[in-house]
Amino acid sequence: MLKLSRLRPSSNEGYFAWVLLVVIVTFSLLSNQFLTLQNLLDLTESYAVSGIFALGLFVVLVTGGIDISFAAVASVVQYLIATLAIHYGLSSPTGSILLAVAIGTVLGMINAILIYCLRIVSIIVTISMQSLLFGMLMWLTNGTSLYDLPDWLTTPIRVLPFSVGEQHYQIGLPVVVMLAVAGLSWILLNKTHLGRQLFAVGGDQESARRIGIRVGLLHLFAYGYLGAMAAIGGLVQVYRVGEVVPNALVGGELDVLAAAVLGGASLNGGKGSVVGTLMGVFLIGVLKNGLNLIGVSSYFMNIVIGVVIVAAITVTHYKKRKETEVGFA
């Protein structure tokens, strides 16, 4: 009994790690292609953009808000940067990245202003913004993809190459960017006064206001941060595929939101972790990849992922209710 008790997780991330382990072992037994180094590297790189989005969204969720417009922001930013590079001679990688981050930040802050100043529910504002931005993008561009992109945006960069036996592998730039964003987000939320204030606002906004926390500015920062991460994720997506497709990113918002919630983030705010968010992204990636390798229909994949999300939310809310349950003698 003592040995078994030592294996019992002491945190949500610990429970999540066990779930991931069970899923990985299951798919490894069902498909001999799953637990190969190349497949795992490809899987991680494929979901790096979702990871960047999820980390930005997590900061918004911590404050008790929600934002569905990040994919549209990413699409607009990548199309603007590509257009400026192709038609107007924008050739500086550093300047392009800074401009992209600035545009994304401003678009994110517009959401915060509408939500906070007009007292509109965040999900309504951000769904409206998503529809507005994506509709304008498709209307103004006629859905035309861009291919003649600058070399700095499409040329593969060898990052952290390594060998196992005679096989050569490398950890791609998208994964490195995702890990850098994860490190920045972790430091922000866990090692700064600003991060503690973000959690305080999510825990109880009115109490945070009473103790002098400037709630409006924190919302401005959180949504701006997500806008910046959306811009970075958009550029990473262009780097991965070598083209700009205006509707490539829109439609996957719920997977990103699900990853953050699976990782322990609460839709009510004030909870969650960066590690849990990344684990949520990886779990959804593992499920989709494993089900695809064993030949499961894409329609059934949605059923499985839906069941997993509902189960995770149910367990989370059950634990929260037990923690706050008050007994009567």
Side-chain angles (χ1 to χ4, degrees):
M1 289 295 292
L2 183 60
K3 291 182 179 179
L4 290 176
S5 65
R6 289 179 179 177
L7 296 176
R8 183 178 179 180
S10 58
S11 64
N12 287 331
E13 289 79 7
Y15 283 103
F16 209 100
W18 276 110
V19 172
L20 264 174
L21 180 62
V22 170
V23 172
I24 290 172
V25 170
T26 301
F27 284 129
S28 301
L29 296 174
L30 294 174
S31 172
N32 57 10
Q33 300 177 35
F34 177 77
L35 203 60
T36 62
L37 185 55
Q38 188 61 59
N39 182 60
L40 294 178
L41 287 173
D42 290 342
L43 171 64
T44 307
E45 183 161 325
S46 297
Y47 281 85
V49 173
S50 294
I52 294 169
F53 289 161
L55 290 163
L57 178 58
F58 173 58
V59 173
V60 172
L61 291 174
V62 162
T63 65
I66 190 170
D67 190 341
I68 306 296
S69 67
F70 56 85
V73 170
S75 300
V76 168
V77 168
Q78 63 180 205
Y79 209 98
L80 279 174
I81 296 300
T83 300
L84 289 173
I86 295 170
H87 299 291
Y88 298 96
L90 182 63
S91 59
S92 168
T94 302
S96 299
I97 294 169
L98 291 176
L99 179 60
V101 170
I103 295 170
T105 302
V106 169
L107 292 175
M109 287 181 170
I110 291 173
N111 282 331
I113 292 169
L114 292 173
I115 292 165
Y116 187 75
C117 295
L118 301 180
R119 299 293 190 268
I120 305 175
V121 178
S122 59
I123 192 168
I124 294 176
V125 169
T126 57
I127 287 177
S128 301
M129 185 63 73
Q130 189 268 357
S131 180
L132 173 65
L133 291 175
F134 183 60
M136 288 184 63
L137 178 64
M138 296 301 290
W139 175 56
L140 293 173
T141 66
N142 291 317
T144 304
S145 299
L146 301 178
Y147 302 101
D148 188 20
L149 302 175
D151 291 340
W152 67 265
L153 193 53
T154 57
T155 303
I157 301 173
R158 290 182 61 81
V159 181
L160 301 178
F162 63 97
S163 299
V164 177
E166 297 182 354
Q167 298 294 321
H168 301 286
Y169 306 94
Q170 69 167 338
I171 296 175
L173 181 62
V175 178
V176 174
V177 174
M178 181 189 70
L179 293 177
V181 170
L184 175 64
S185 302
W186 185 85
I187 292 171
L188 167 69
L189 292 170
N190 295 281
K191 297 297 180 179
T192 68
H193 182 60
L194 176 61
R196 289 188 288 273
Q197 288 185 326
L198 290 169
F199 274 104
V201 169
D204 191 327
Q205 184 169 305
E206 189 56 37
S207 296
R209 183 180 288 107
R210 288 175 180 173
I211 63 174
I213 294 176
R214 304 182 72 176
V215 175
L217 289 179
L218 288 178
H219 277 98
L220 203 64
F221 172 83
Y223 285 90
Y225 186 83
L226 174 55
M229 294 306 107
I232 292 171
L235 294 182
V236 171
Q237 171 70 6
V238 175
Y239 169 82
R240 284 193 62 246
V241 301
E243 60 184 4
V244 176
V245 181
N247 61 347
L249 294 173
V250 174
E253 294 90 345
L254 290 182
D255 278 357
V256 175
L257 176 60
V261 173
L262 280 172
S266 171
L267 295 178
N268 296 320
K271 292 185 66 176
S273 70
V274 168
V275 173
T277 300
L278 288 180
M279 292 173 75
V281 172
F282 192 55
L283 176 60
I284 289 181
V286 166
L287 285 170
K288 287 192 171 183
N289 178 254
L291 291 170
N292 181 60
L293 288 176
I294 63 177
V296 172
S297 165
S298 59
Y299 299 111
F300 188 73
M301 288 184 198
N302 293 330
I303 296 174
V304 173
I305 291 172
V307 169
V308 170
I309 294 169
V310 170
I313 293 174
T314 301
V315 170
T316 300
H317 280 265
Y318 176 77
K319 288 177 63 180
K320 183 177 180 180
R321 191 181 70 179
K322 295 295 288 184
E323 288 172 0
T324 57
E325 197 173 63
V326 178
F328 294 93

